[in-house]
Amino acid sequence: MDCFRNLPEEITLEILTRLPSHHPLFSKMHLHRLNHPSADDDSGKLGFLVLIYQNGANENFHYIEYDENHESTPTLRITRINLTPPFEDTTVMGSCNGLICLAEGLSVCICNPIVREYVMLPEISRDSCDDVERYYDGKCSFGYVSSTNEYKVVGMYESKTSVEVHIYTLGSGNGWRNLGKFTFKFDIYTWHVAGIFVNGALYWLSDKLEKIIVFDLVEEKFSEHLSPPPLPESDWWYDRIGVLDGFLFLAICPHNGGDGFSDIWLLKDKNNSRDMKERDERQ
């Protein structure tokens, strides 16, 4: 084992990815460790996948690993992944447990970049009764339900009056299921980005920042909307939601920020209810 620990990380990865999964619980144990790292695991490491664009087209993927604790000096390792995107104009719509969701409109595939394999999802069969009203292409979002070990893709088509929602559960054999049409009093640009996945739910920030919309992947329906914290009276030039340390965050940067300070709020559970509680200021 001492010799094994001394192997370069890339060699260890090549060995492990070629081993068969001898026990059916192997993948679940690996996933649990991935989502619940112990105190003795390496800390200070951040790994992420980047899709490089050149001359207006996607070229290739790179894996980047940042280690701030390496020999007291931060290190950055960049490795090219020989994976050809399946679409001419590929967009990364989300990632869960090492799988990434790639799409061009609502043409969707789920990809494992380490083994360079992907699965194409079938096309969504849309309700055509109001095609005249449709004037924006659809978007998809990707998430994971830990209680059932299921990966789900949510696809949305927009019209002037509603949002038509479809859902696909990987491995179920049921294909896309139409969950119906939902009417929201939000600007249609709200749905132009993928939902942010955190703890079994997808989140969208409304265009005017008056609500955060929640879609529960377990119940497969929209939950009660969240109200952002009181925002500054001044205008802002940048806003977004994302994931920070496993929590949903809302970040804004006012026009009068001077040196570029942003306000960041973290969404934390309290008494089984979601609420924006913690605020931080970052430069």
Side-chain angles (χ1 to χ4, degrees):
M1 287 303 296
D2 290 337
C3 294
F4 189 77
R5 292 191 185 97
N6 292 330
L7 285 174
E9 185 174 347
E10 57 270 20
I11 300 299
T12 303
L13 181 62
E14 288 294 326
I15 294 174
L16 293 178
T17 55
R18 284 169 168 76
L19 292 177
S21 177
H22 296 286
H23 195 282
L25 292 179
F26 178 83
S27 59
K28 291 185 178 181
M29 294 169 62
H30 173 75
L31 186 59
H32 178 79
R33 289 206 58 175
L34 180 67
N35 292 326
H36 304 87
S38 61
D40 58 351
D41 287 336
D42 291 337
S43 60
K45 287 187 177 181
L46 174 66
F48 50 96
L49 195 68
V50 176
L51 178 58
I52 303 297
Y53 286 83
Q54 293 179 354
N55 300 322
N58 44 62
E59 295 289 333
N60 46 65
F61 287 93
H62 287 76
Y63 176 73
I64 301 177
E65 184 178 86
Y66 174 78
D67 186 357
E68 63 180 10
N69 294 330
H70 182 71
E71 297 178 355
S72 302
T73 303
T75 61
L76 190 68
R77 297 177 56 191
I78 302 177
T79 305
R80 177 171 176 172
I81 297 178
N82 294 321
L83 172 66
T84 302
F87 309 116
E88 182 177 347
D89 186 14
T90 303
T91 302
V92 179
M93 305 304 295
S95 65
C96 294
N97 306 323
L99 299 179
I100 57 176
C101 178
L102 304 176
E104 183 178 41
L106 276 176
S107 297
V108 184
C109 80
I110 305 300
C111 172
N112 184 330
I114 299 301
V115 297
R116 298 184 290 276
E117 296 178 352
Y118 58 83
V119 175
M120 297 293 301
L121 272 57
E123 294 290 329
I124 296 178
S125 177
R126 292 184 291 172
D127 183 356
S128 59
C129 65
D130 63 348
D131 276 347
V132 175
E133 293 186 347
R134 299 185 191 281
Y135 60 103
Y136 284 121
D137 200 357
K139 289 293 183 182
C140 68
S141 303
F142 184 47
Y144 173 72
V145 180
S146 59
S147 59
T148 57
N149 192 29
E150 293 177 320
Y151 293 88
K152 297 185 178 184
V153 180
V154 176
M156 294 182 173
Y157 280 102
E158 305 154 279
S159 73
K160 294 180 180 179
T161 58
S162 65
V163 175
E164 184 178 306
V165 181
H166 301 249
I167 194 165
Y168 188 99
T169 302
L170 270 67
S172 67
N174 295 326
W176 288 98
R177 291 177 287 118
N178 192 334
L179 301 183
K181 297 180 181 179
F182 301 85
T183 302
F184 297 101
K185 297 180 180 179
F186 302 124
D187 192 288
I188 199 165
Y189 291 102
T190 298
W191 311 107
H192 272 203
V193 296
I196 300 299
F197 170 70
V198 186
N199 295 328
L202 295 168
Y203 297 84
W204 291 265
L205 181 63
S206 64
D207 190 53
K208 297 181 181 179
L209 276 69
E210 72 271 30
K211 292 289 183 181
I212 296 176
I213 303 156
V214 185
F215 184 86
D216 191 313
L217 285 172
V218 177
E219 301 292 335
E220 297 186 349
K221 65 181 182 180
F222 289 97
S223 303
E224 182 179 355
H225 304 323
L226 303 178
S227 297
L231 300 176
E233 296 181 0
S234 60
D235 196 7
W236 51 86
W237 64 271
Y238 178 83
D239 58 76
R240 66 164 295 185
I241 56 175
V243 183
L244 179 63
D245 293 334
F247 296 99
L248 184 75
F249 73 77
L250 167 66
I252 65 168
C253 184
H255 275 301
N256 60 358
D259 294 330
F261 282 91
S262 297
D263 286 332
I264 299 177
W265 287 266
L266 291 182
L267 177 78
K268 291 192 174 183
D269 288 338
K270 186 175 183 180
N271 299 325
N272 295 323
S273 63
R274 300 182 178 96
D275 194 11
M276 284 284 181
K277 288 296 183 184
E278 291 195 7
R279 180 184 179 186
D280 195 2
E281 193 176 67
R282 304 286 181 96
Q283 187 172 17

